[in-house]
């Protein structure tokens, strides 16, 4: 238990130290990415919300056409029989799923791209600092050890950032889906 608490503290400490070294432009891009993640959560809700009317149309299309609320909506779209209703609901459900998938893919792409940009920024900064060390430092230090150490540390930080952003995205989508399911139930 004690080790797990230390791990969480060191993880948060590492994230905090990384945040301090991220450029302001990248911080703003992270904030925009969080908005994209929220949009992805909303898109998941829409696709789940489109599932119930789609299933209802498949199983009870005649009853849906006869209901007062449904009748007004269907007349607005020019739907008069059950085949048209099933086709319309299939189209709505398909568009919701495709839209949700596209937003999710964009979210994954944006996360990967932003992580790569942050990794590039940090790599340039780290290698620049090591290059501008005094001559005596370079004489004492093995350059291959320095490069290997920097590469390992930078890959660890980049992996940490990518994992953290993926966890945040997954948690946002999970909360949106769970909330929607509770509301529906």
């Amino acid at each position: 238990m004690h080790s797990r608490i230390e791990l969480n503290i060191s993880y948060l400490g590492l994230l905090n130290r990384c945040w301090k070294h991220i450029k302001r432009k990248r911080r703003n891009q992270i904030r925009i990415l969080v908005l994209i993640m929220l949009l992805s959560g909303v898109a998941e809700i829409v696709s789940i919300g489109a599932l119930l009317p789609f299933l209802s149309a498949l199983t009870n299309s005649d009853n849906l056409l006869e209901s007062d609320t449904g009748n007004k909506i269907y007349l607005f779209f020019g739907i008069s029989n059950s085949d048209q209703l099933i086709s319309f609901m299939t189209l709505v459900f398909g568009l919701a799923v495709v839209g949700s998938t596209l937003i999710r893919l964009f979210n994954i792409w944006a996360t990967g791209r932003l992580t790569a940009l942050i990794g590039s920024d940090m790599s340039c900064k780290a290698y620049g600092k090591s290059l501008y060390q005094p001559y005596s430092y370079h004489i004492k230090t093995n350059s291959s050890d320095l490069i290997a150490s920097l590469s390992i540390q930078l890959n660890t930080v980049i992996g940490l950032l990518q994992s953290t952003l993926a966890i945040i995205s997954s948690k946002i989508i999970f909360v949106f889906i769970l909330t929607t399911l509770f509301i529906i139930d």
Side-chain angles (χ1 to χ4, degrees), residues 137-182:
Y137 172 81
H138 290 289
I139 290 175
K140 295 176 189 173
T141 307
N142 184 349
S143 61
S144 63
D145 290 341
L146 177 66
I147 291 171
S149 175
L150 282 174
S151 295
I152 290 169
Q153 290 176 2
L154 287 168
N155 286 336
T156 302
V157 169
I158 292 166
L160 172 77
L161 288 172
Q162 189 153 13
S163 298
T164 301
L165 290 173
I167 288 170
I168 291 169
S169 178
S170 297
K171 284 186 177 187
I172 287 172
I173 291 171
F174 172 75
V175 167
F176 274 77
I177 290 173
L178 190 65
T179 303
T180 301
L181 291 175
F182 278 127

Side-chain angles (χ1 to χ4, degrees), residues 11 62-63 72 78 80 103 113 125 135 155 157 173 183:
Y11 178 77
D62 292 331
N63 291 344
K72 291 176 186 174
S80 58
I103 291 171
R113 178 153 170 78
K125 188 175 181 179
Y135 181 70
N155 286 336
V157 169
I173 291 171
I183 290 171

Side-chain angles (χ1 to χ4, degrees), residues 60-86:
N60 293 346
S61 58
D62 292 331
N63 291 344
L64 287 174
L65 286 170
E66 294 172 4
S67 71
D68 290 335
T69 308
N71 196 9
K72 291 176 186 174
I73 294 170
Y74 303 132
L75 286 176
F76 177 76
F77 288 108
I79 298 170
S80 58
N81 62 39
S82 61
D83 290 337
Q84 289 176 337
L85 176 62
I86 291 172

Side-chain angles (χ1 to χ4, degrees), residues 103-114:
I103 291 171
R104 183 82 168 117
L105 286 173
F106 179 71
N107 180 15
I108 292 168
W109 174 81
T111 301
R113 178 153 170 78
L114 182 58

Side-chain angles (χ1 to χ4, degrees), residues 46-60:
V46 169
S47 67
I48 290 172
L51 177 65
L52 294 176
F54 172 67
L55 292 176
S56 294
L58 289 176
T59 57
N60 293 346

